[in-house]
Amino acid sequence: MPLWHRLIVFGVVLLITLVIARLIDRRIARRQLTPEAMTRYRILRRSVTATIVAFGVLSALLVIPQVRAVAGGLLASTAVVGIIVGFASQRTLGNFVAGLLIAFTQPVRLGDEVVVEETEGVVEEIGLIYTFVRIRNGDRLVIPNEKLASDTIRNSTIRSREKVAEITLQVPLGRDVGAVVDRLRTLREGAEVFISDLAGNATIVVRARAENEPAAERLEQALRLEAYDLLRGEGVYA
């Protein structure tokens, strides 16, 4: 087969590989995903595309005699594993592996508000090698995945589902405020009760934990009624 025929075959195989990678990418991209799934998807999407293209190029090289032996050896032997292990110690592949870890362990997700080395921003993109964070002034902070996976990060978005119900009460300063605080602690076991202000009246805050936000709203409504009935019974409220 003439060399130009082989080059045409090489180009056709490479083109088909790129089309397949693009079709797979577009099909997955149509789905509406949660932030957790989208974070995994972005990393896997790039990994799958890179893998398809890499094997497509190696397959296309098989039609060129001068490189057939090399390409065939890479595809049919354990040389691929040797190359991966060899590069694993390098920073680039280390960032790639860290990107996969971020995708599955998810210390950060797309759209999360984070603080990295005292810099606040929103996670905009998680790539194979770098993670991009848009900071307050509009600049883009580019962080190697290896650094992101190993450093301490404050994530303001991923929080416990547990919420806090909080109400405030106004008690005249002429009353025994300390006794009122003690009585309010009996409303709920483990409730936090404290005086937040003494301007005009004593402002007393009552906090109690709830399982989630709807439960916290219901608990606040119940606490207001119970606190009022309790203090009225004690003569605090006329």
Side-chain angles (χ1 to χ4, degrees), residues 76-87:
S77 71
T78 58
V80 173
V81 177
I83 290 176
I84 293 175
V85 173
F87 278 99

Side-chain angles (χ1 to χ4, degrees), residues 113-186:
E113 296 183 4
V114 298
V115 178
V116 182
E117 293 185 346
E118 300 183 357
T119 302
E120 298 182 16
V122 177
V123 178
E124 189 175 63
E125 187 70 28
I126 300 176
L128 291 178
I129 308 299
Y130 299 101
T131 292
F132 303 92
V133 176
R134 184 69 66 181
I135 60 178
R136 302 299 183 188
N137 63 3
D139 290 347
R140 214 181 193 196
L141 185 65
V142 182
I143 309 169
N145 286 338
E146 194 173 25
K147 179 179 179 62
L148 196 67
S150 59
D151 282 3
T152 300
I153 307 163
R154 191 179 79 192
N155 191 322
S156 300
T157 303
I158 301 178
R159 298 179 178 177
S160 171
R161 291 175 56 86
E162 189 178 70
K163 299 296 181 180
V164 175
E166 179 178 301
I167 65 170
T168 58
L169 303 163
Q170 299 294 320
V171 175
L173 292 177
R175 303 294 182 178
D176 187 347
V177 178
V180 171
V181 170
D182 290 338
R183 291 289 291 125
L184 289 173
R185 288 198 176 104
T186 64

